[in-house]
PDB file of all heavy atoms in Angstrom:
ATOM      1  N   GLN A  29     -34.402  64.118-110.748  1.00 54.00           N
ATOM      2  CA  GLN A  29     -33.155  63.736-111.401  1.00 54.00           C
ATOM      3  C   GLN A  29     -32.807  62.305-110.991  1.00 54.00           C
ATOM      4  O   GLN A  29     -32.092  62.081-110.026  1.00 54.00           O
ATOM      5  CB  GLN A  29     -32.013  64.673-110.991  1.00 54.00           C
ATOM      6  CG  GLN A  29     -32.143  66.091-111.481  1.00 54.00           C
ATOM      7  CD  GLN A  29     -30.957  66.917-110.999  1.00 54.00           C
ATOM      8  OE1 GLN A  29     -30.898  67.374-109.864  1.00 54.00           O
ATOM      9  NE2 GLN A  29     -29.996  67.093-111.879  1.00 54.00           N
ATOM     10  N   PRO A  30     -33.328  61.339-111.701  1.00 57.00           N
ATOM     11  CA  PRO A  30     -33.049  59.953-111.328  1.00 57.00           C
ATOM     12  C   PRO A  30     -31.579  59.617-111.484  1.00 57.00           C
ATOM     13  O   PRO A  30     -30.858  60.223-112.274  1.00 57.00           O
ATOM     14  CB  PRO A  30     -33.919  59.144-112.296  1.00 57.00           C
ATOM     15  CG  PRO A  30     -34.165  60.059-113.451  1.00 57.00           C
ATOM     16  CD  PRO A  30     -34.203  61.439-112.874  1.00 57.00           C
ATOM     17  N   GLY A  31     -31.130  58.641-110.701  1.00 64.00           N
ATOM     18  CA  GLY A  31     -29.733  58.259-110.702  1.00 64.00           C
ATOM     19  C   GLY A  31     -29.359  57.383-111.881  1.00 64.00           C
ATOM     20  O   GLY A  31     -30.172  57.127-112.781  1.00 64.00           O
ATOM     21  N   ASP A  32     -28.113  56.902-111.881  1.00 77.00           N
ATOM     22  CA  ASP A  32     -27.615  56.169-113.042  1.00 77.00           C
ATOM     23  C   ASP A  32     -27.903  54.680-112.926  1.00 77.00           C
ATOM     24  O   ASP A  32     -28.230  54.156-111.865  1.00 77.00           O
ATOM     25  CB  ASP A  32     -26.124  56.431-113.230  1.00 77.00           C
ATOM     26  CG  ASP A  32     -25.292  55.881-112.077  1.00 77.00           C
ATOM     27  OD1 ASP A  32     -25.872  55.470-111.056  1.00 77.00           O
ATOM     28  OD2 ASP A  32     -24.068  55.867-112.220  1.00 77.00           O
ATOM     29  N   VAL A  33     -27.749  54.003-114.047  1.00 85.00           N
ATOM     30  CA  VAL A  33     -28.062  52.580-114.132  1.00 85.00           C
ATOM     31  C   VAL A  33     -27.110  51.768-113.260  1.00 85.00           C
ATOM     32  O   VAL A  33     -27.525  50.798-112.617  1.00 85.00           O
ATOM     33  CB  VAL A  33     -27.985  52.104-115.596  1.00 85.00           C
ATOM     34  CG1 VAL A  33     -28.169  50.592-115.683  1.00 85.00           C
ATOM     35  CG2 VAL A  33     -29.038  52.810-116.435  1.00 85.00           C
ATOM     36  N   ALA A  34     -25.838  52.151-113.208  1.00 86.00           N
ATOM     37  CA  ALA A  34     -24.857  51.362-112.465  1.00 86.00           C
ATOM     38  C   ALA A  34     -25.230  51.251-110.991  1.00 86.00           C
ATOM     39  O   ALA A  34     -25.103  50.177-110.389  1.00 86.00           O
ATOM     40  CB  ALA A  34     -23.468  51.995-112.612  1.00 86.00           C
ATOM     41  N   THR A  35     -25.711  52.342-110.402  1.00 83.00           N
ATOM     42  CA  THR A  35     -26.097  52.310-108.992  1.00 83.00           C
ATOM     43  C   THR A  35     -27.323  51.427-108.791  1.00 83.00           C
ATOM     44  O   THR A  35     -27.393  50.650-107.832  1.00 83.00           O
ATOM     45  CB  THR A  35     -26.375  53.734-108.486  1.00 83.00           C
ATOM     46  OG1 THR A  35     -25.203  54.527-108.648  1.00 83.00           O
ATOM     47  CG2 THR A  35     -26.764  53.726-107.012  1.00 83.00           C
ATOM     48  N   VAL A  36     -28.281  51.527-109.687  1.00 85.00           N
ATOM     49  CA  VAL A  36     -29.484  50.698-109.580  1.00 85.00           C
ATOM     50  C   VAL A  36     -29.131  49.215-109.716  1.00 85.00           C
ATOM     51  O   VAL A  36     -29.653  48.370-108.985  1.00 85.00           O
ATOM     52  CB  VAL A  36     -30.528  51.114-110.635  1.00 85.00           C
ATOM     53  CG1 VAL A  36     -31.711  50.151-110.650  1.00 85.00           C
ATOM     54  CG2 VAL A  36     -31.019  52.534-110.367  1.00 85.00           C
ATOM     55  N   LEU A  37     -28.229  48.906-110.634  1.00 90.00           N
ATOM     56  CA  LEU A  37     -27.795  47.515-110.790  1.00 90.00           C
ATOM     57  C   LEU A  37     -27.129  47.003-109.509  1.00 90.00           C
ATOM     58  O   LEU A  37     -27.337  45.860-109.107  1.00 90.00           O
ATOM     59  CB  LEU A  37     -26.825  47.390-111.958  1.00 90.00           C
ATOM     60  CG  LEU A  37     -27.411  47.534-113.362  1.00 90.00           C
ATOM     61  CD1 LEU A  37     -26.310  47.424-114.410  1.00 90.00           C
ATOM     62  CD2 LEU A  37     -28.495  46.505-113.626  1.00 90.00           C
ATOM     63  N   ARG A  38     -26.322  47.846-108.878  1.00 86.00           N
ATOM     64  CA  ARG A  38     -25.668  47.433-107.635  1.00 86.00           C
ATOM     65  C   ARG A  38     -26.702  47.117-106.564  1.00 86.00           C
ATOM     66  O   ARG A  38     -26.571  46.136-105.823  1.00 86.00           O
ATOM     67  CB  ARG A  38     -24.737  48.563-107.172  1.00 86.00           C
ATOM     68  CG  ARG A  38     -24.043  48.331-105.836  1.00 86.00           C
ATOM     69  CD  ARG A  38     -23.154  47.125-105.841  1.00 86.00           C
ATOM     70  NE  ARG A  38     -22.229  47.122-106.973  1.00 86.00           N
ATOM     71  CZ  ARG A  38     -21.478  46.088-107.321  1.00 86.00           C
ATOM     72  NH1 ARG A  38     -21.542  44.975-106.613  1.00 86.00           N
ATOM     73  NH2 ARG A  38     -20.676  46.154-108.362  1.00 86.00           N
ATOM     74  N   VAL A  39     -27.747  47.941-106.484  1.00 82.00           N
ATOM     75  CA  VAL A  39     -28.803  47.689-105.495  1.00 82.00           C
ATOM     76  C   VAL A  39     -29.511  46.372-105.793  1.00 82.00           C
ATOM     77  O   VAL A  39     -29.712  45.534-104.912  1.00 82.00           O
ATOM     78  CB  VAL A  39     -29.821  48.843-105.478  1.00 82.00           C
ATOM     79  CG1 VAL A  39     -30.982  48.532-104.539  1.00 82.00           C
ATOM     80  CG2 VAL A  39     -29.159  50.148-105.065  1.00 82.00           C
ATOM     81  N   LEU A  40     -29.911  46.172-107.038  1.00 87.00           N
ATOM     82  CA  LEU A  40     -30.617  44.948-107.410  1.00 87.00           C
ATOM     83  C   LEU A  40     -29.757  43.714-107.126  1.00 87.00           C
ATOM     84  O   LEU A  40     -30.259  42.688-106.658  1.00 87.00           O
ATOM     85  CB  LEU A  40     -31.003  44.998-108.889  1.00 87.00           C
ATOM     86  CG  LEU A  40     -32.115  45.984-109.249  1.00 87.00           C
ATOM     87  CD1 LEU A  40     -32.221  46.139-110.768  1.00 87.00           C
ATOM     88  CD2 LEU A  40     -33.456  45.548-108.677  1.00 87.00           C
ATOM     89  N   TYR A  41     -28.470  43.815-107.382  1.00 88.00           N
ATOM     90  CA  TYR A  41     -27.555  42.702-107.136  1.00 88.00           C
ATOM     91  C   TYR A  41     -27.499  42.365-105.649  1.00 88.00           C
ATOM     92  O   TYR A  41     -27.578  41.189-105.258  1.00 88.00           O
ATOM     93  CB  TYR A  41     -26.172  43.102-107.650  1.00 88.00           C
ATOM     94  CG  TYR A  41     -25.064  42.132-107.318  1.00 88.00           C
ATOM     95  CD1 TYR A  41     -25.029  40.863-107.880  1.00 88.00           C
ATOM     96  CD2 TYR A  41     -24.024  42.504-106.467  1.00 88.00           C
ATOM     97  CE1 TYR A  41     -23.998  39.981-107.588  1.00 88.00           C
ATOM     98  CE2 TYR A  41     -22.991  41.632-106.173  1.00 88.00           C
ATOM     99  CZ  TYR A  41     -22.986  40.368-106.734  1.00 88.00           C
ATOM    100  OH  TYR A  41     -21.965  39.496-106.436  1.00 88.00           O
ATOM    101  N   LEU A  42     -27.399  43.380-104.803  1.00 80.00           N
ATOM    102  CA  LEU A  42     -27.327  43.138-103.367  1.00 80.00           C
ATOM    103  C   LEU A  42     -28.655  42.629-102.813  1.00 80.00           C
ATOM    104  O   LEU A  42     -28.681  41.790-101.915  1.00 80.00           O
ATOM    105  CB  LEU A  42     -26.896  44.414-102.638  1.00 80.00           C
ATOM    106  CG  LEU A  42     -25.446  44.850-102.897  1.00 80.00           C
ATOM    107  CD1 LEU A  42     -25.171  46.195-102.247  1.00 80.00           C
ATOM    108  CD2 LEU A  42     -24.466  43.815-102.382  1.00 80.00           C
ATOM    109  N   VAL A  43     -29.767  43.138-103.340  1.00 78.00           N
ATOM    110  CA  VAL A  43     -31.077  42.639-102.919  1.00 78.00           C
ATOM    111  C   VAL A  43     -31.202  41.157-103.282  1.00 78.00           C
ATOM    112  O   VAL A  43     -31.658  40.337-102.482  1.00 78.00           O
ATOM    113  CB  VAL A  43     -32.209  43.451-103.573  1.00 78.00           C
ATOM    114  CG1 VAL A  43     -33.563  42.768-103.356  1.00 78.00           C
ATOM    115  CG2 VAL A  43     -32.252  44.865-102.991  1.00 78.00           C
ATOM    116  N   PHE A  44     -30.780  40.800-104.491  1.00 84.00           N
ATOM    117  CA  PHE A  44     -30.840  39.397-104.906  1.00 84.00           C
ATOM    118  C   PHE A  44     -29.973  38.527-104.010  1.00 84.00           C
ATOM    119  O   PHE A  44     -30.382  37.445-103.578  1.00 84.00           O
ATOM    120  CB  PHE A  44     -30.382  39.257-106.358  1.00 84.00           C
ATOM    121  CG  PHE A  44     -30.321  37.828-106.829  1.00 84.00           C
ATOM    122  CD1 PHE A  44     -31.474  37.180-107.255  1.00 84.00           C
ATOM    123  CD2 PHE A  44     -29.129  37.125-106.828  1.00 84.00           C
ATOM    124  CE1 PHE A  44     -31.441  35.853-107.672  1.00 84.00           C
ATOM    125  CE2 PHE A  44     -29.079  35.803-107.243  1.00 84.00           C
ATOM    126  CZ  PHE A  44     -30.231  35.175-107.668  1.00 84.00           C
ATOM    127  N   ASN A  45     -28.759  38.982-103.718  1.00 80.00           N
ATOM    128  CA  ASN A  45     -27.865  38.198-102.876  1.00 80.00           C
ATOM    129  C   ASN A  45     -28.457  37.960-101.498  1.00 80.00           C
ATOM    130  O   ASN A  45     -28.329  36.875-100.932  1.00 80.00           O
ATOM    131  CB  ASN A  45     -26.512  38.909-102.730  1.00 80.00           C
ATOM    132  CG  ASN A  45     -25.609  38.639-103.908  1.00 80.00           C
ATOM    133  OD1 ASN A  45     -25.891  37.777-104.724  1.00 80.00           O
ATOM    134  ND2 ASN A  45     -24.534  39.390-104.019  1.00 80.00           N
ATOM    135  N   GLU A  46     -29.101  38.971-100.920  1.00 70.00           N
ATOM    136  CA  GLU A  46     -29.701  38.796 -99.598  1.00 70.00           C
ATOM    137  C   GLU A  46     -30.872  37.828 -99.681  1.00 70.00           C
ATOM    138  O   GLU A  46     -31.066  36.997 -98.792  1.00 70.00           O
ATOM    139  CB  GLU A  46     -30.168  40.139 -99.042  1.00 70.00           C
ATOM    140  CG  GLU A  46     -30.595  40.080 -97.614  1.00 70.00           C
ATOM    141  CD  GLU A  46     -29.493  39.594 -96.686  1.00 70.00           C
ATOM    142  OE1 GLU A  46     -28.344  40.022 -96.822  1.00 70.00           O
ATOM    143  OE2 GLU A  46     -29.793  38.741 -95.837  1.00 70.00           O
ATOM    144  N   GLY A  47     -31.643  37.921-100.750  1.00 64.00           N
ATOM    145  CA  GLY A  47     -32.761  37.001-100.915  1.00 64.00           C
ATOM    146  C   GLY A  47     -32.306  35.590-101.190  1.00 64.00           C
ATOM    147  O   GLY A  47     -32.962  34.619-100.827  1.00 64.00           O
ATOM    148  N   TYR A  48     -31.136  35.440-101.846  1.00 57.00           N
ATOM    149  CA  TYR A  48     -30.634  34.124-102.226  1.00 57.00           C
ATOM    150  C   TYR A  48     -29.980  33.406-101.062  1.00 57.00           C
ATOM    151  O   TYR A  48     -30.100  32.199-100.906  1.00 57.00           O
ATOM    152  CB  TYR A  48     -29.626  34.306-103.367  1.00 57.00           C
ATOM    153  CG  TYR A  48     -29.114  33.033-103.971  1.00 57.00           C
ATOM    154  CD1 TYR A  48     -29.965  32.215-104.723  1.00 57.00           C
ATOM    155  CD2 TYR A  48     -27.794  32.643-103.824  1.00 57.00           C
ATOM    156  CE1 TYR A  48     -29.505  31.044-105.289  1.00 57.00           C
ATOM    157  CE2 TYR A  48     -27.320  31.476-104.396  1.00 57.00           C
ATOM    158  CZ  TYR A  48     -28.182  30.680-105.132  1.00 57.00           C
ATOM    159  OH  TYR A  48     -27.731  29.520-105.693  1.00 57.00           O
ATOM    160  N   SER A  49     -29.285  34.177-100.204  1.00 53.00           N
ATOM    161  CA  SER A  49     -28.511  33.515 -99.158  1.00 53.00           C
ATOM    162  C   SER A  49     -28.846  33.974 -97.749  1.00 53.00           C
ATOM    163  O   SER A  49     -28.311  33.461 -96.793  1.00 53.00           O
ATOM    164  CB  SER A  49     -27.015  33.768 -99.396  1.00 53.00           C
ATOM    165  OG  SER A  49     -26.734  35.154 -99.340  1.00 53.00           O
ATOM    166  N   GLY A  50     -29.733  34.945 -97.585  1.00 50.00           N
ATOM    167  CA  GLY A  50     -29.977  35.506 -96.276  1.00 50.00           C
ATOM    168  C   GLY A  50     -31.297  35.109 -95.665  1.00 50.00           C
ATOM    169  O   GLY A  50     -31.875  34.070 -95.986  1.00 50.00           O
ATOM    170  N   ASP A  51     -31.789  35.983 -94.788  1.00 50.00           N
ATOM    171  CA  ASP A  51     -32.975  35.658 -94.001  1.00 50.00           C
ATOM    172  C   ASP A  51     -34.280  36.130 -94.645  1.00 50.00           C
ATOM    173  O   ASP A  51     -35.361  35.753 -94.208  1.00 50.00           O
ATOM    174  CB  ASP A  51     -32.854  36.313 -92.622  1.00 50.00           C
ATOM    175  CG  ASP A  51     -31.590  35.875 -91.902  1.00 50.00           C
ATOM    176  OD1 ASP A  51     -31.257  34.687 -92.024  1.00 50.00           O
ATOM    177  OD2 ASP A  51     -30.956  36.712 -91.254  1.00 50.00           O
ATOM    178  N   VAL A  52     -34.204  36.996 -95.658  1.00 50.00           N
ATOM    179  CA  VAL A  52     -35.393  37.566 -96.271  1.00 50.00           C
ATOM    180  C   VAL A  52     -35.458  37.114 -97.724  1.00 50.00           C
ATOM    181  O   VAL A  52     -34.475  37.201 -98.456  1.00 50.00           O
ATOM    182  CB  VAL A  52     -35.358  39.113 -96.211  1.00 50.00           C
ATOM    183  CG1 VAL A  52     -36.628  39.698 -96.807  1.00 50.00           C
ATOM    184  CG2 VAL A  52     -35.164  39.582 -94.778  1.00 50.00           C
ATOM    185  N   ASP A  53     -36.606  36.621 -98.173  1.00 58.00           N
ATOM    186  CA  ASP A  53     -36.740  36.095 -99.525  1.00 58.00           C
ATOM    187  C   ASP A  53     -37.032  37.233-100.496  1.00 58.00           C
ATOM    188  O   ASP A  53     -38.168  37.606-100.722  1.00 58.00           O
ATOM    189  CB  ASP A  53     -37.864  35.049 -99.570  1.00 58.00           C
ATOM    190  CG  ASP A  53     -37.914  34.343-100.918  1.00 58.00           C
ATOM    191  OD1 ASP A  53     -37.053  34.646-101.764  1.00 58.00           O
ATOM    192  OD2 ASP A  53     -38.805  33.500-101.118  1.00 58.00           O
ATOM    193  N   LEU A  54     -35.977  37.785-101.091  1.00 70.00           N
ATOM    194  CA  LEU A  54     -36.119  38.900-102.016  1.00 70.00           C
ATOM    195  C   LEU A  54     -35.618  38.556-103.417  1.00 70.00           C
ATOM    196  O   LEU A  54     -35.645  39.399-104.295  1.00 70.00           O
ATOM    197  CB  LEU A  54     -35.334  40.119-101.491  1.00 70.00           C
ATOM    198  CG  LEU A  54     -35.802  40.706-100.162  1.00 70.00           C
ATOM    199  CD1 LEU A  54     -34.778  41.695 -99.634  1.00 70.00           C
ATOM    200  CD2 LEU A  54     -37.146  41.392-100.329  1.00 70.00           C
ATOM    201  N   ALA A  55     -35.141  37.334-103.612  1.00 82.00           N
ATOM    202  CA  ALA A  55     -34.514  36.981-104.876  1.00 82.00           C
ATOM    203  C   ALA A  55     -35.487  37.089-106.050  1.00 82.00           C
ATOM    204  O   ALA A  55     -35.151  37.648-107.099  1.00 82.00           O
ATOM    205  CB  ALA A  55     -33.944  35.567-104.797  1.00 82.00           C
ATOM    206  N   ALA A  56     -36.682  36.552-105.909  1.00 83.00           N
ATOM    207  CA  ALA A  56     -37.648  36.589-107.002  1.00 83.00           C
ATOM    208  C   ALA A  56     -38.027  38.022-107.357  1.00 83.00           C
ATOM    209  O   ALA A  56     -38.199  38.363-108.538  1.00 83.00           O
ATOM    210  CB  ALA A  56     -38.899  35.790-106.629  1.00 83.00           C
ATOM    211  N   GLU A  57     -38.152  38.883-106.348  1.00 81.00           N
ATOM    212  CA  GLU A  57     -38.471  40.283-106.601  1.00 81.00           C
ATOM    213  C   GLU A  57     -37.338  40.975-107.348  1.00 81.00           C
ATOM    214  O   GLU A  57     -37.566  41.757-108.270  1.00 81.00           O
ATOM    215  CB  GLU A  57     -38.740  41.012-105.273  1.00 81.00           C
ATOM    216  CG  GLU A  57     -38.940  42.510-105.372  1.00 81.00           C
ATOM    217  CD  GLU A  57     -40.232  42.914-106.079  1.00 81.00           C
ATOM    218  OE1 GLU A  57     -40.988  42.018-106.529  1.00 81.00           O
ATOM    219  OE2 GLU A  57     -40.484  44.117-106.174  1.00 81.00           O
ATOM    220  N   ALA A  58     -36.096  40.671-106.993  1.00 85.00           N
ATOM    221  CA  ALA A  58     -34.957  41.263-107.688  1.00 85.00           C
ATOM    222  C   ALA A  58     -34.923  40.823-109.151  1.00 85.00           C
ATOM    223  O   ALA A  58     -34.630  41.627-110.046  1.00 85.00           O
ATOM    224  CB  ALA A  58     -33.657  40.884-106.990  1.00 85.00           C
ATOM    225  N   ILE A  59     -35.234  39.556-109.412  1.00 92.00           N
ATOM    226  CA  ILE A  59     -35.277  39.070-110.791  1.00 92.00           C
ATOM    227  C   ILE A  59     -36.382  39.776-111.565  1.00 92.00           C
ATOM    228  O   ILE A  59     -36.187  40.198-112.719  1.00 92.00           O
ATOM    229  CB  ILE A  59     -35.488  37.542-110.818  1.00 92.00           C
ATOM    230  CG1 ILE A  59     -34.254  36.826-110.268  1.00 92.00           C
ATOM    231  CG2 ILE A  59     -35.780  37.052-112.234  1.00 92.00           C
ATOM    232  CD1 ILE A  59     -34.419  35.334-110.125  1.00 92.00           C
ATOM    233  N   ARG A  60     -37.546  39.924-110.945  1.00 89.00           N
ATOM    234  CA  ARG A  60     -38.672  40.601-111.613  1.00 89.00           C
ATOM    235  C   ARG A  60     -38.298  42.030-112.020  1.00 89.00           C
ATOM    236  O   ARG A  60     -38.544  42.463-113.151  1.00 89.00           O
ATOM    237  CB  ARG A  60     -39.881  40.616-110.680  1.00 89.00           C
ATOM    238  CG  ARG A  60     -41.145  41.218-111.298  1.00 89.00           C
ATOM    239  CD  ARG A  60     -42.276  41.255-110.284  1.00 89.00           C
ATOM    240  NE  ARG A  60     -42.035  42.261-109.252  1.00 89.00           N
ATOM    241  CZ  ARG A  60     -42.330  43.551-109.392  1.00 89.00           C
ATOM    242  NH1 ARG A  60     -42.844  44.002-110.535  1.00 89.00           N
ATOM    243  NH2 ARG A  60     -42.108  44.395-108.415  1.00 89.00           N
ATOM    244  N   LEU A  61     -37.673  42.754-111.104  1.00 89.00           N
ATOM    245  CA  LEU A  61     -37.306  44.140-111.394  1.00 89.00           C
ATOM    246  C   LEU A  61     -36.194  44.221-112.438  1.00 89.00           C
ATOM    247  O   LEU A  61     -36.193  45.127-113.289  1.00 89.00           O
ATOM    248  CB  LEU A  61     -36.872  44.844-110.112  1.00 89.00           C
ATOM    249  CG  LEU A  61     -37.977  45.049-109.073  1.00 89.00           C
ATOM    250  CD1 LEU A  61     -37.394  45.607-107.781  1.00 89.00           C
ATOM    251  CD2 LEU A  61     -39.058  45.988-109.607  1.00 89.00           C
TER     252      LEU A  61
END
């Protein structure tokens, strides 16, 4: 039973933010997904 789109979007947004401004480069991966 996969979850809803809104929760997945929230995760992708936070992953991008950490990659954009934090210590781990995850921004490009978030854009790809």
Side-chain angles (χ1 to χ4, degrees):
Q29 293 180 280
D32 65 350
V33 174
T35 301
V36 173
L37 288 178
R38 176 61 51 190
V39 175
L40 289 169
Y41 173 67
L42 291 174
V43 169
F44 176 82
N45 278 349
E46 189 59 44
Y48 186 69
S49 61
D51 303 321
V52 182
D53 188 2
L54 297 168
E57 174 68 359
I59 292 174
R60 184 183 71 84
L61 293 173

